[in-house]
Amino acid sequence: MNVLLYLKNLYAKENSLLNHITLFAMLGIFTVSTMAYLSTIIGNIYGSFFDFAPTTSVKAYFLLVLALMLLFLFIGYIYSYINNSFNGKNELPEVSLSAYSAFVKTLPVVISWNIYEAFLFLIGFVTIPATTKLFYIYYSILICILPFINLISVAFAKNFKYRPSLFSFITIFRVLNQSLGEIIKLCLQTLLLSIIPVVIIFLMIKYSATISHQTLNLIAKLASLCFATYFIMIIKLVYSQGLVEIVKDKFSDI
């Protein structure tokens, strides 16, 4: 695995700069609209961070709808990128409405595995006392399984064709058996790659705290969140490209 190579692929093409600017702008709109809507729910919870709540419920619902539509677009965008990666196109794609199609196609697979996850979480909650160590061990194992479940949805994005193996609970055992080491290695490399963006965002937030002017302080904090959202998207795409390579190598028949 080479996450640095995956990262390079996202910036290597001639039109990548324009695509990155477009992606950053749309992520910025998503971040601002989400924060504005949250301000109507949780209020002024962090200094001046949430003090720009919509003045009417109509505006609040508009921001909610906008944030959700953009969220669905970005989820579909990630799966569209995964599909491109299976076909050797690893550069950052344009943001287009076709991402909604990828989102809708992926929903049955994602919902199915979310039901499995919810069922397992519920079993643990009902059968294991919360005061025992077994309770924490059980839920730690469930959390660690999540990246392997994500691998199944990535395998589906190869051609967006539904297959019985994509919905079979037994598939997760095969995925765990054949990709445990590769997933751990990819996760560790991705975490190491995330250190620099985390430091940058931390410094931006720390700097924003020193700004006394309320409006400028809010702008600085929102800017740090916009960059954080962008970095999260880039890291997610890098991680997804690594999952694509694992699927190609281990699970071409899923």
Side-chain angles (χ1 to χ4, degrees):
M1 297 295 175
N2 192 340
V3 293
L4 293 179
L5 176 61
Y6 303 154
L7 181 64
K8 180 183 176 182
N9 291 336
L10 293 174
Y11 293 90
K13 298 298 180 180
E14 296 179 357
N15 61 340
S16 64
L17 178 59
L18 179 60
N19 291 343
H20 279 277
I21 293 174
T22 303
L23 178 63
F24 179 82
M26 296 190 69
L27 287 169
I29 295 172
F30 167 74
T31 302
V32 173
S33 60
T34 301
M35 291 298 102
Y37 176 75
L38 288 178
S39 66
T40 66
I41 301 176
I42 59 180
N44 189 16
I45 196 174
Y46 180 51
S48 62
F49 204 88
F50 292 101
D51 63 353
F52 61 117
T55 55
T56 65
S57 59
V58 174
K59 292 182 179 179
Y61 286 125
F62 171 77
L63 290 171
L64 174 61
V65 171
L66 177 62
L68 288 176
M69 292 302 294
L70 287 173
L71 176 62
F72 298 155
L73 177 71
F74 293 136
I75 294 174
Y77 179 79
I78 292 172
Y79 282 105
S80 295
Y81 173 75
I82 291 171
N83 179 261
N84 289 345
S85 294
F86 274 111
N87 296 304
K89 302 176 182 178
N90 297 318
E91 67 274 10
L92 190 75
E94 295 181 0
V95 180
S96 66
L97 295 178
S98 62
Y100 285 115
S101 175
F103 170 74
V104 173
K105 290 177 181 177
T106 311
L107 268 182
V109 177
V110 174
I111 291 175
S112 296
W113 284 97
N114 282 339
I115 292 174
Y116 288 143
E117 294 169 28
F119 181 71
L120 292 174
F121 272 86
L122 182 61
I123 287 178
F125 183 78
V126 173
T127 60
I128 305 176
T131 56
T132 63
K133 292 183 179 179
L134 181 61
F135 180 86
Y136 298 98
I137 294 174
Y138 177 81
Y139 280 99
S140 296
I141 293 174
L142 288 185
I143 293 173
C144 291
I145 290 176
L146 294 179
F148 299 90
I149 294 177
N150 189 25
L151 191 84
I152 297 174
S153 62
V154 168
F156 166 72
K158 178 180 180 180
N159 51 21
F160 293 115
K161 291 183 178 180
Y162 301 109
R163 302 175 291 279
S165 59
L166 295 170
F167 299 93
S168 173
F169 186 75
I170 299 176
T171 302
I172 190 61
F173 295 103
R174 178 188 170 191
V175 171
L176 282 167
N177 181 54
Q178 297 186 18
S179 65
L180 180 62
E182 287 81 357
I183 290 290
I184 293 175
K185 183 178 179 181
L186 176 61
C187 288
L188 290 176
Q189 290 186 354
T190 305
L191 286 174
L192 289 175
L193 183 65
S194 304
I195 292 176
I196 295 178
V198 169
V199 172
I200 293 174
I201 297 303
F202 172 77
L203 293 176
M204 291 180 66
I205 294 177
K206 185 177 181 180
Y207 171 74
S208 67
T210 64
I211 302 175
S212 57
H213 192 280
Q214 186 177 14
T215 302
L216 293 178
N217 181 276
L218 178 61
I219 292 174
K221 288 178 178 177
L222 284 175
S224 65
L225 266 186
C226 291
F227 276 101
T229 308
Y230 170 76
F231 286 140
I232 290 172
M233 174 62 78
I234 295 301
I235 294 298
K236 175 62 177 176
L237 294 177
V238 168
Y239 177 73
S240 297
Q241 195 175 153
L243 292 180
V244 167
E245 295 302 320
I246 294 175
V247 172
K248 286 181 178 179
D249 184 45
K250 301 285 187 178
F251 306 106
S252 58
D253 58 333
I254 289 184

